[in-house]
């Protein structure tokens, strides 16, 4: 079935740009469907664990996941998948709780010293896999692919 509640689909490490925020402001409006209000773009920017907002620009990176939301309305069930950004300290804490052997890398690493971000081919392969497994609808896949391609161009 489709992930829901607090199930997240991992997308990877990303850098947030002003264009991302502008795109999310358009794509994730609270009034997107009249009978079914959704969280707006600010939910995409808020860390699901500590609630701190992500800020675009700079060298900081975040860990993007896709979260499925669901509502029951008068016209039937509705679902929507939105991107969410975990901050580095929260994702490291989650990983450390899952595997106590995990040691976070030093926070003083510069961007040039950090592990490379996934290639565009890897990102698209992940999205294709999610679509094939039913984790993303065709519309969600198209939107995620467009966002990934736009982010890659920057």
């Amino acid at each position: 079935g489709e992930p829901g509640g607090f199930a997240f689909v991992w997308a990877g490490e990303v850098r947030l740009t002003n264009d991302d925020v502008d795109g999310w402001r358009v794509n994730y409006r609270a009034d997107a469907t009249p009978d079914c209000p959704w969280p707006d773009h600010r939910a995409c920017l808020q860390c699901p664990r500590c609630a701190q907002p992500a800020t675009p620009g700079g060298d900081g990176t975040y860990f993007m996941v896709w979260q499925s939301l669901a509502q029951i309305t008068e016209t039937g069930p509705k679902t929507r998948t939105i991107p969410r950004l975990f901050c580095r300290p929260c994702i490291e804490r989650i990983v450390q709780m899952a595997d106590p052997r995990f040691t976070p890398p030093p926070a003083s690493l510069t961007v040039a010293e950090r592990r490379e971000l996934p290639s565009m081919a890897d990102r698209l392969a992940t999205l294709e896999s999610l679509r094939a497994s039913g984790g993303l609808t065709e519309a969600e896949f198209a939107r995620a692919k467009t966002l990934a391609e736009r982010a890659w161009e920057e």
Side-chain angles (χ1 to χ4, degrees):
E2 186 173 334
F6 290 105
F8 295 104
V9 178
W10 183 261
E13 190 173 9
V14 297
R15 285 191 181 88
L16 182 64
T17 67
N18 287 321
D19 286 341
D20 296 326
V21 176
D22 291 342
W24 289 352
R25 190 174 286 121
V26 171
N27 290 324
Y28 300 102
R29 296 185 329 270
D31 65 346
T33 52
D35 68 332
C36 190
W38 297 104
D40 65 17
H41 73 283
R42 293 172 295 182
C44 302
L45 301 171
Q46 189 177 42
C47 176
R49 185 169 184 268
C50 71
Q52 291 300 309
T55 54
D59 293 333
T61 58
Y62 300 91
F63 294 84
M64 190 167 102
V65 298
W66 290 96
Q67 180 180 17
S68 290
L69 307 175
Q71 291 188 43
I72 304 296
T73 68
E74 291 178 4
T75 58
K78 307 283 187 202
T79 62
R80 182 179 205 182
T81 303
I82 64 170
R84 300 292 302 271
L85 299 175
F86 278 95
C87 63
R88 181 172 292 278
C90 285
I91 206 70
E92 287 175 350
R93 181 68 181 131
I94 290 168
V95 172
Q96 194 168 38
M97 286 170 35
D99 183 357
R101 299 169 295 174
F102 172 76
T103 304
S108 62
L109 290 179
T110 65
V111 171
E113 295 171 318
R114 289 188 188 143
R115 191 172 51 88
E116 284 295 310
L117 296 176
S119 69
M120 176 53 84
D122 291 340
R123 291 172 191 223
L124 292 178
T126 300
L127 291 173
E128 289 282 354
S129 174
L130 289 170
R131 178 176 63 173
S133 69
L136 289 176
T137 65
E138 287 296 323
E140 292 165 339
F141 169 79
R143 184 177 19 208
K145 182 178 177 186
T146 300
L147 288 172
E149 288 170 340
R150 281 188 25 216
W152 190 260
E153 291 170 0
E154 296 176 4

